[in-house]
Amino acid sequence: MSGHHDEGHTIAGWVGSGVAMVGSLAIGVGVIGWPPGIWWGLIALVAAAPATWGLHLAGWGKPPNPRSADQQGLMVRDRSAREGHTNCRGCRLAGRRGAQSRTADTSDGSAPLR
């Protein structure tokens, strides 16, 4: 198999998926007979997004492009998260621009992100 393959398994991804799965399970239990489960499940589903985002910003996520081979392990913290990932919406929402997007020119000829 040629090329670079990165499945993206990260702590942020697993935690976010786990919280969302628990929320979905609680909603399902609420539908079949435990009404508070619907509300607890909705709270868990809403909490999954900021939990995942926070872990991504703390370096436990991954950039939107494939990582280098030494950065692909599940328990490896992303060294580039503090500056922000280039072309990453989550990093832009947090005010992190990434090294490449700070320059006026880009390699593909498109306008820089602001």
Side-chain angles (χ1 to χ4, degrees):
M1 185 172 179
S2 65
H4 192 73
H5 182 68
D6 182 10
E7 293 180 0
H9 297 293
T10 64
I11 296 296
W14 282 105
V15 168
S17 297
V19 172
M21 185 172 48
V22 167
S24 297
L25 179 65
I27 289 172
V29 170
V31 166
I32 63 171
W34 185 58
I38 294 173
W39 297 109
W40 285 109
L42 288 172
I43 291 168
L45 283 176
V46 169
T52 304
W53 186 38
L55 286 168
H56 170 79
L57 294 175
W60 294 109
K62 72 177 270 320
N65 51 357
R67 298 174 288 184
S68 60
D70 65 326
Q71 289 284 303
Q72 288 186 12
L74 177 66
M75 298 300 290
V76 177
R77 198 164 188 175
D78 182 13
R79 296 182 301 246
S80 65
R82 173 163 259 146
E83 298 84 32
H85 301 117
T86 304
N87 299 327
C88 176
R89 280 191 194 121
C91 290
R92 282 194 313 234
L93 285 171
R96 299 176 184 178
R97 299 286 184 207
Q100 187 180 32
S101 63
R102 288 185 193 127
T103 60
D105 58 340
T106 59
S107 60
D108 62 353
S110 63
L113 300 172
R114 302 223 162 140

